[in-house]
Amino acid sequence: MLKDDKVQDLAEMFKILGDPTRIKILHILSRGEMCVCDIAETLGMNQSAVSHQLRTLRGARLVKFRKAGKEALYSLDDDHVISLMCQGLEHISHEDRR
């Protein structure tokens, strides 16, 4: 049986992954490291909104950043993030075949 704190942590992660904008950001970052301005341009959003979403993703340890001068470059935290997304895509593709 899963402990309550693990159940809560897992539910919170799925809640964070339940936002379409965050999924788009993770997909963009799956291709490589990017700054907020480039992510915002790719999504057609303002930088403030993207920064807010990145802060949430960082808090969940789904993305990380490093400073390059005055710029922050974001990337996926680790390969588990890609695995989660791939498994989710595989699952919904499987559902489409029913």
Side-chain angles (χ1 to χ4, degrees), residues 76-86:
L76 297 180
D77 191 70
D78 60 31
D79 291 339
H80 291 112
V81 179
I82 291 174
S83 295
L84 279 169
M85 290 183 60
C86 287

Side-chain angles (χ1 to χ4, degrees), residues 29 32-41 50 54 71-74:
L29 293 176
E33 189 175 64
M34 291 181 81
C35 66
V36 175
C37 59
D38 290 338
I39 297 169
E41 184 178 323
V50 170
L54 287 166
E71 198 169 59
L73 296 173
Y74 286 84

Side-chain angles (χ1 to χ4, degrees), residues 2 8 16 20-21 25 32 34 43 53 66 74 86-87:
L2 288 173
Q8 186 60 40
I16 289 167
T21 299
I25 291 171
M34 291 181 81
L43 293 175
Q53 297 298 340
R66 69 177 180 88
Y74 286 84
C86 287
Q87 287 182 359

Side-chain angles (χ1 to χ4, degrees), residues 43-61:
L43 293 175
M45 295 174 63
N46 67 52
Q47 289 184 30
S48 177
V50 170
S51 291
H52 174 74
Q53 297 298 340
L54 287 166
R55 192 169 22 262
T56 300
L57 291 167
R58 272 184 43 222
R61 296 184 335 261

Side-chain angles (χ1 to χ4, degrees), residues 12-27 43 45 49 52-54 56-57 62 85:
E12 186 63 31
M13 186 192 60
F14 280 119
K15 181 178 167 185
I16 289 167
L17 290 172
D19 182 88
T21 299
R22 292 185 199 128
I23 295 292
K24 289 176 185 178
I25 291 171
L26 292 173
H27 181 258
L43 293 175
M45 295 174 63
H52 174 74
Q53 297 298 340
L54 287 166
T56 300
L57 291 167
L62 295 169
M85 290 183 60

